[in-house]
Amino acid sequence: TERLENPKFSGGNAEITLQSAYAQDEIPLSERTHLTVGVRQDEHDTFGGETSPRVSIVRDVNDKLTLKASYGHGFRAPTIKQVSPGYSFQTGKILIKSNPDLQPETNDALELGASYSNGKLNLNAAVFDNKVKNLIDTRLNRTLAGGVQEWLYANTDEAHLRGAEISADLPIHEGLKLN
């Protein structure tokens, strides 16, 4: 339960409740391959329920190379500060206001990755593709007297995030590692 006290609210406070349950299981498909499946159920008193599945498969090709693939669906409801009518906060010349019309954001994410380790050198690489609906962000609404910028929380209909991540670490001297 998220509770916010503010003298601008009717009754002086607002409250939002979110309940969630998550279950996950790892299933060995072979000695070197494992499937992980999971599901999360969210119940929000304002936005209702959302089921978010997750599945991943990991294959140890050999003792040095591991391949991974995963899919997951995510749900994020706006916070109480983002949706409570009349709520705002100011920091310097920026005023951020709530938006009672905000909708929850959802995300569908795919990731493919590989890890290599030969005992000294560790390499990791992954590519990802995330499609977000109703991304919660802030937008400049207007400039007020004194140059104060009024920003509002708002949904972006769709956002598409794609990319790659690469990391490595290598011990170069006792007690010293290059990342």
Side-chain angles (χ1 to χ4, degrees):
T1 300
E2 192 177 6
R3 184 178 171 93
L4 181 63
E5 295 180 11
N6 189 313
K8 295 180 182 176
F9 297 157
S10 173
N13 62 61
E15 190 173 284
I16 294 176
T17 300
L18 171 65
Q19 296 179 345
S20 301
Y22 183 74
Q24 179 174 297
D25 192 18
E26 183 177 300
I27 304 161
L29 300 179
S30 72
E31 186 178 321
R32 293 188 174 268
T33 306
H34 292 83
L35 178 70
T36 302
V37 293
V39 65
R40 177 183 169 122
Q41 181 64 37
D42 289 296
E43 295 295 332
H44 195 281
D45 64 1
T46 303
F47 299 109
E50 180 82 13
T51 302
S52 301
R54 178 185 184 280
V55 63
S56 68
I57 190 163
V58 176
R59 169 76 177 160
D60 293 322
V61 177
N62 54 44
D63 292 339
K64 295 178 182 180
L65 180 63
T66 299
L67 302 176
K68 304 171 187 178
S70 67
Y71 163 79
H73 176 79
F75 168 83
R76 185 174 81 85
T79 67
I80 195 167
K81 291 179 179 180
Q82 293 171 328
V83 295
S84 294
Y87 180 80
S88 65
F89 67 94
Q90 188 168 352
T91 176
K93 291 203 171 233
I94 296 178
L95 174 69
I96 300 179
K97 295 180 74 172
S98 65
N99 179 353
D101 296 326
L102 277 180
Q103 295 299 307
E105 68 181 39
T106 58
N107 178 27
D108 288 294
L110 289 170
E111 184 170 342
L112 300 173
S115 299
Y116 172 82
S117 178
N118 67 8
K120 289 187 178 183
L121 174 65
N122 296 306
L123 296 171
N124 295 292
V127 294
F128 60 89
D129 184 77
N130 295 330
K131 294 178 181 167
V132 184
K133 292 182 182 171
N134 292 321
L135 176 71
I136 299 171
D137 201 357
T138 53
R139 292 191 185 137
L140 180 61
N141 187 44
R142 62 187 171 154
T143 301
L144 305 172
V148 174
Q149 294 181 348
E150 179 185 84
W151 291 72
L152 298 175
Y153 287 106
N155 288 113
T156 299
D157 292 339
E158 292 184 12
H160 201 155
L161 312 168
R162 286 187 191 144
E165 299 174 346
I166 299 172
S167 67
D169 65 68
L170 176 66
I172 55 176
H173 190 269
E174 188 176 321
L176 184 62
K177 187 188 310 185
L178 178 64
N179 288 316

